[in-house]
Amino acid sequence: MKSKIYILDDHPIVIEGLKKLIDQQEDMQVIGSAEDANTALQQITKIKPDVVVLDITLKDRSGVDLIKKLRASHPNMQILVYSMHDENVYAERCLRAGAMGYVMKGEPSTRVLQGLRQVAAGSFFFSAALLGSIVSGGGPRGGSRGEPARMLSDRQLEIFEMVGRGFDSHSIAEKLALSAKTVDAHKANIRQKLGLASARELLMEAVRWVEK
């Protein structure tokens, strides 16, 4: 039987590329796709894929938060992250959220297929160096001001990225179903963790982060 694959990415060209690659294989097929998380959640519940391939930068939701939700509601479904973000920065966060594998965009198509087959079989697919570091308890490299992904909680990183995309506190609060006061408190904690002296510095650092 073919593994049933679902693709979630906010770039249609990525979806089309992955679909073409996967549908050429004898042991897997794409059964659905979406460009936003809300549509994906509705469709996944109905069609029940074996593997969801998703990016962690989405239009309407944090990819890491989505991984947690999918893992909670579909415990037997596997998740492979396919992202432009460096594995060394995000992969451990995705693993702890419930993803089974991580492939960076730009890697050879053979590695994408290898990752799909491995997670479909219930195995992890991360670099040996990363898994070794996690198993040994070392975790990722120590954080610094230039490494928000290692220093911030999932919620803080989500808000930090939204600041970098130009959202104000009220807009962030509305999207995340929080109060503006709670968002401002998160911003203050983010500034403290990253050693930023003002809201302006926070904005500049967040913009630099999302433009990496």
Side-chain angles (χ1 to χ4, degrees), residues 126-201:
F126 295 90
S127 69
L130 181 83
L131 284 176
S133 177
I134 293 172
V135 170
S136 68
R141 295 188 304 267
S144 71
R145 174 172 170 165
E147 298 173 318
R150 296 193 178 96
M151 303 176 69
L152 305 179
S153 69
D154 291 343
R155 178 64 86 190
Q156 289 169 348
L157 183 61
E158 187 175 16
I159 290 172
F160 184 65
E161 289 182 344
M162 293 179 78
V163 170
R165 297 182 193 283
F167 292 97
D168 61 19
S169 292
H170 290 284
S171 300
I172 295 172
E174 184 177 347
K175 284 184 174 291
L176 301 182
L178 302 172
S179 70
K181 274 188 176 181
T182 299
V183 172
D184 286 337
H186 279 303
K187 285 183 177 180
N189 288 333
I190 292 167
R191 282 172 50 191
Q192 182 178 17
K193 285 186 176 182
L194 300 184
L196 304 172
S198 65
R200 181 174 177 275
E201 283 192 17

Side-chain angles (χ1 to χ4, degrees), residues 5-10 14-15 18 34 36-37 40-41 44 51-58 61-71 77-85 94 97-105 116:
I5 312 298
Y6 189 93
I7 304 169
L8 170 57
D9 196 291
D10 57 5
V14 173
I15 293 176
L18 283 174
D36 66 273
L41 284 169
I44 287 168
V51 180
V52 174
V53 183
L54 61 81
D55 196 351
I56 51 175
T57 302
L58 302 169
R61 194 178 192 132
S62 158
V64 175
D65 181 57
L66 180 61
I67 292 169
K68 292 177 182 177
K69 184 172 182 63
L70 288 173
R71 176 57 62 207
M77 188 181 66
Q78 310 299 356
I79 301 168
L80 176 68
V81 175
Y82 185 58
S83 178
M84 62 178 288
H85 295 294
C94 292
M100 292 292 288
Y102 197 105
V103 179
M104 289 181 59
K105 291 178 179 177
L116 282 167

